[in-house]
Amino acid sequence: MSDCTFSPSLCHIDLGAIRRNFGRMGEAHALMPVIKSDAYGHGLVPVARVLSDAGARRFAVGTVSEAMALRDAGLRQTIVPLLGALTDVDWQGAVMQGLTPVVGNFDQLERAAAHCHAGRTLRVAIKCETGMGRLGFSQKELPQVIDRLRSIQGIEPAMVISHFSCADMPEQEAYTQEQVRRFTAMSDALREVFPEIERSLCNTAGTIGRPEAHFEVCRPGISLYGGNPFTGTTWEDKGAKLGLEWAMSVSAPVIEVRQLAEGQSVSYGRLFTAQKPSVVAVVAIGYATAFNRALSTRTAMLVNGRRVPQVGRVCMGMIMADVTNIPQVRVGDTAWLVGGPADPGQTPVTPQDMADALGTISYEVLCLFGGMNPRVYG
């Protein structure tokens, strides 16, 4: 996002909710909270600091650059860049700042070896491919990996990790069990040679639903920010019973209130035409700041504590709401597109509601809103 503010919409981040969600996921010493992609849009350093205060001993980030930002902020925990070190500059930074980059192929392994310096240990996380089909050493490659690791002076395999493909899908139970089996076999082989290596397989879904696969370290992600990975499945209650709290709300001001006569339309394409005399509020947010154009006429918002429908085509910097049934809506009132204070009997729109309307996942909604709007913390 540029330094020039081009929208008055705001992301409100409840750091207390993130801390409480972290506490719901297990003992702090056994967790590596995932704060990649700017903490899913919630702000990398503020989230890391509140989790550090809550006892986090490790962080999983996306890139070495994110890890360096945490070091610059004074955070000394174990930090694992999940994409690994991608350039020589990344490798140099990983060594100098004591990071634990992921190594998942032989090229990365050789580059790690090339950056091991006398008197300094480079810790790495060995990535195993168990069924995601993206990154990591195969089971067939593992003996060669172990032999090479034993021969490199100054390298320490500190962690072995893999990633579930569909642990959030009850109908894929057999596939998930096979991933656990493969990971167990591969990590056992590594532990025979490196007995202190820590094992980490579980994402949020695994952390909540797979206690038998927790090993030493779990990596909760979406749950930190309030998301239940089992929403819409037969296991929904597994997450719901934890009482997870959404940490992000999104607001924007009402900038105009218009009276529409019967038959009058509003916005591009005439998606909304008043069937009776109506009142429409114009709200200063749009697709330029992550209010997806595909949400046109398919979502709602809170205005003065009441849930009202969004009407008309979403514009670049404006949306409209039908506030006919809410008395005395004025310019300067606040509309809450996600979350916000609700009157008794009214319900805020959640990131999951918005994701469902878009046919996507809450992760995307959070990342985009948080990445394209100024954030305020509470």
Side-chain angles (χ1 to χ4, degrees):
M1 185 175 181
S2 70
D3 291 335
C4 174
T5 299
F6 52 93
S7 172
S9 50
L10 295 172
C11 272
H12 305 257
I13 309 299
D14 184 347
L15 292 173
I18 293 174
R19 181 173 184 145
R20 291 188 292 272
N21 290 336
F22 178 67
R24 294 174 174 116
M25 298 310 294
E27 297 295 326
H29 69 85
L31 301 176
M32 182 163 67
V34 180
I35 55 174
K36 64 182 180 179
S37 299
D38 205 18
Y40 292 36
H42 293 71
L44 177 71
V45 171
V47 169
R49 283 181 171 149
V50 78
L51 294 176
S52 178
D53 290 345
R57 299 181 183 180
R58 314 168 189 83
F59 294 116
V61 297
T63 64
V64 168
S65 178
E66 285 189 312
M68 298 285 275
L70 295 184
R71 288 286 189 253
D72 289 345
L75 292 151
R76 311 318 304 171
Q77 284 88 343
T78 294
I79 304 177
V80 178
L82 295 172
L83 293 180
L86 303 179
T87 67
D88 284 340
V89 172
D90 279 356
W91 282 110
Q92 292 160 11
V95 173
M96 296 302 295
Q97 293 293 341
L99 309 180
T100 307
V102 166
V103 171
N105 60 53
F106 287 106
D107 177 66
Q108 288 178 322
L109 187 52
E110 293 309 315
R111 294 180 79 177
H115 286 84
C116 287
H117 302 300
R120 188 185 292 271
T121 299
L122 173 60
R123 291 163 52 90
V124 297
I126 302 302
K127 181 69 175 282
C128 293
E129 158 45 22
T130 61
M132 178 67 88
R134 301 185 307 188
L135 306 173
F137 293 106
S138 69
Q139 198 159 6
K140 182 179 178 180
E141 293 172 323
L142 199 58
Q144 185 180 350
V145 173
I146 292 171
D147 287 344
R148 186 67 183 106
L149 286 168
R150 294 175 73 175
S151 72
I152 301 172
Q153 294 280 331
I155 198 166
E156 178 187 340
M159 186 174 287
V160 51
I161 68 173
S162 192
H163 195 55
F164 278 131
S165 169
C166 43
D168 55 345
M169 302 170 66
E171 67 273 21
Q172 294 285 347
E173 171 80 2
Y175 193 86
T176 300
Q177 288 180 344
E178 177 61 17
Q179 281 200 260
V180 175
R181 186 199 67 76
R182 289 177 188 163
F183 182 75
T184 300
M186 295 177 77
S187 60
D188 283 352
L190 280 159
R191 283 167 68 87
E192 285 182 11
V193 183
F194 308 104
E196 301 301 316
I197 198 168
E198 292 185 316
R199 299 164 291 181
S200 180
L201 175 61
C202 285
N203 55 2
T204 293
T207 304
I208 295 172
R210 295 246 160 234
E212 76 281 4
H214 280 185
F215 299 104
E216 286 75 42
V217 181
C218 290
R219 306 191 306 274
I222 190 62
S223 58
L224 301 176
Y225 314 105
N228 176 2
F230 299 119
T231 295
T233 76
T234 56
W235 289 358
E236 186 163 354
D237 285 349
K238 289 179 182 283
K241 69 182 180 182
L242 296 175
L244 299 168
E245 306 167 62
W246 291 108
M248 181 185 291
S249 300
V250 181
S251 72
V254 173
I255 60 171
E256 183 66 273
V257 179
R258 300 196 70 84
Q259 308 289 326
L260 297 186
E262 181 179 348
Q264 190 174 356
S265 60
V266 66
S267 194
Y268 298 105
R270 304 192 69 209
L271 292 188
F272 174 77
T273 299
Q275 302 302 303
K276 61 181 181 180
S278 301
V279 183
V280 167
V282 181
V283 177
I285 192 172
Y287 59 76
T289 46
F291 196 96
N292 197 302
R293 189 171 182 269
L295 288 170
S296 298
T297 74
R298 299 171 59 198
T299 187
M301 68 194 78
L302 291 177
V303 177
N304 295 344
R306 301 278 298 278
R307 189 168 174 129
V308 296
Q310 187 276 320
V311 295
R313 183 84 72 192
V314 171
C315 307
M316 186 178 291
M318 291 179 281
I319 60 173
M320 286 61 63
D322 184 348
V323 295
T324 305
N325 296 323
I326 304 179
Q328 297 182 328
V329 175
R330 297 181 175 90
V331 170
D333 287 349
T334 299
W336 291 88
L337 301 318
V338 174
D343 286 351
Q346 301 290 306
T347 56
V349 175
T350 69
Q352 187 63 53
D353 293 335
M354 197 165 278
D356 289 343
L358 289 167
T360 186
I361 55 176
S362 60
Y363 308 58
E364 180 180 7
V365 171
L366 295 172
C367 286
L368 291 176
F369 271 128
M372 300 185 73
N373 292 280
R375 290 185 292 250
V376 293
Y377 291 92

